[in-house]
């Protein structure tokens, strides 16, 4: 028997350099690391928590964003229950591409829940995407939420993962 009541497979998606590895690292290890190696293919992480007396394993799949890894991504996407679709608040292109990311992931696991994450909100002077635009896109594409984070400062990072975890737990416990 598993020591967990639930294991949630959650993907980190988004263009290269939006901060996926920094976010997952912040959530799992509680700190920001200055220099990251570029993610090759996929890097697995896990964190365990008890929510509503249920032992949860977050199985986090940090997916490489670069186009050259595209061929191998489909197999990582299979069976995903949730995604953090991440963009960089200071780079509009990464915001536009969020649509492609969720479409690509939903093609493999259509029933997953996802949230739209605008990362690097510590760089307020360089911001290109206003909050209401992020919120509008999340609503339009059917995300359960829009959240702005800073992996550097730690702002809203745990909240983003918990939002997915709690919603998954509620939907699983009610079936
Ligand atoms: P990725 O996994 O999406 O490819 P990384 O992105 O986590 O490797 O981060 C890419 C770059 O953005 C890194 O900078 C990292 O330090 C920076 N970064 C990540 N999150 C934040 C954040 O919240 N705020 C700020 N200011 N920077 C962030 P380098 O310089 O190493 O390329
Ligand atoms: Mg990475």
């Amino acid at each position: 028997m598993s020591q967990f009541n639930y294991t949630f497979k959650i993907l980190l998606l988004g263009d290269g350099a939006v901060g996926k590895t920094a976010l997952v690292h912040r959530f799992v290890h509680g700190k920001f690391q200055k220099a990251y190696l570029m993610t090759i293919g996929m890097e697995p992480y896990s964190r365990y928590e008890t929510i509503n007396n249920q032992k949860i394993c977050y199985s986090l799949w940090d997916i490489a964003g670069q186009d050259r890894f595209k061929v191998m991504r489909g197999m990582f996407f299979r069976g995903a229950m949730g995604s953090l679709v991440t963009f960089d608040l200071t780079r509009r292109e990464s915001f536009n591409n969020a649509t492609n990311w969720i479409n690509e992931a939903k093609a493999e696991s259509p029933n997953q829940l996802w949230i739209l994450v605008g990362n690097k909100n510590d760089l307020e002077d360089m911001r290109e995407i206003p909050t209401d635009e992020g919120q509008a896109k999340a609503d339009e594409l059917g995300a359960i939420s829009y959240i702005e984070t800073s992996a550097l400062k730690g702002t809203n990072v745990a909240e983003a993962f918990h939002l997915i975890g709690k919603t998954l737990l509620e939907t699983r416990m009610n079936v």
Side-chain angles (χ1 to χ4, degrees):
M1 208 177 108
S2 165
Q3 62 188 118
F4 304 109
N5 300 102
Y6 298 95
T7 297
F8 295 145
K9 175 174 176 177
I10 296 170
L11 310 175
L12 276 292
L13 302 176
D15 282 4
V18 298
K20 301 177 295 297
T21 302
L23 285 167
V24 73
H25 202 271
R26 165 67 76 181
F27 182 56
V28 171
H29 299 297
K31 58 187 179 195
F32 184 78
Q33 197 170 298
K34 188 66 202 91
Y36 293 101
L37 294 178
M38 189 183 69
T39 310
I40 307 289
M42 189 279 294
E43 192 85 41
Y45 292 81
S46 30
R47 174 163 163 170
Y48 313 107
E49 284 186 349
T50 301
I51 311 177
N52 299 343
N53 289 325
Q54 304 295 314
K55 289 196 189 115
I56 308 298
C57 171
Y58 287 88
S59 167
L60 302 166
W61 296 49
D62 179 17
I63 309 281
Q66 285 76 10
D67 270 353
R68 62 185 172 286
F69 299 116
K70 192 165 180 172
V71 281
M72 58 172 92
R73 281 205 291 261
M75 65 183 176
F76 298 140
F77 290 178
R78 234 152 280 159
M81 300 168 182
S83 291
L84 281 84
V85 178
T86 307
F87 67 93
D88 178 342
L89 286 163
T90 71
R91 245 185 325 132
R92 181 163 286 277
E93 193 190 354
S94 71
F95 177 68
N96 296 340
N97 284 337
T99 312
N100 304 335
W101 279 104
I102 193 56
N103 289 342
E104 201 184 317
K106 286 216 154 178
E108 291 293 340
S109 24
N111 297 324
Q112 64 172 291
L113 303 172
W114 65 284
I115 60 175
L116 184 63
V117 179
N119 187 42
K120 308 194 188 181
N121 84 338
D122 54 286
L123 301 175
E124 197 49 56
D125 295 349
M126 294 164 67
R127 178 193 277 267
E128 288 187 358
I129 312 298
T131 301
D132 53 359
E133 202 179 340
Q135 183 66 58
K137 190 180 189 89
D139 294 343
E140 176 199 324
L141 296 176
I144 59 170
S145 198
Y146 173 62
I147 191 162
E148 294 186 349
T149 58
S150 167
L152 176 66
K153 305 263 185 204
T155 317
N156 274 344
V157 177
E159 287 79 355
F161 288 94
H162 288 156
L163 215 59
I164 291 253
K166 284 195 170 141
T167 311
L168 282 170
L169 186 61
E170 281 159 17
T171 52
R172 293 297 180 289
M173 288 178 83
N174 290 332
V175 288

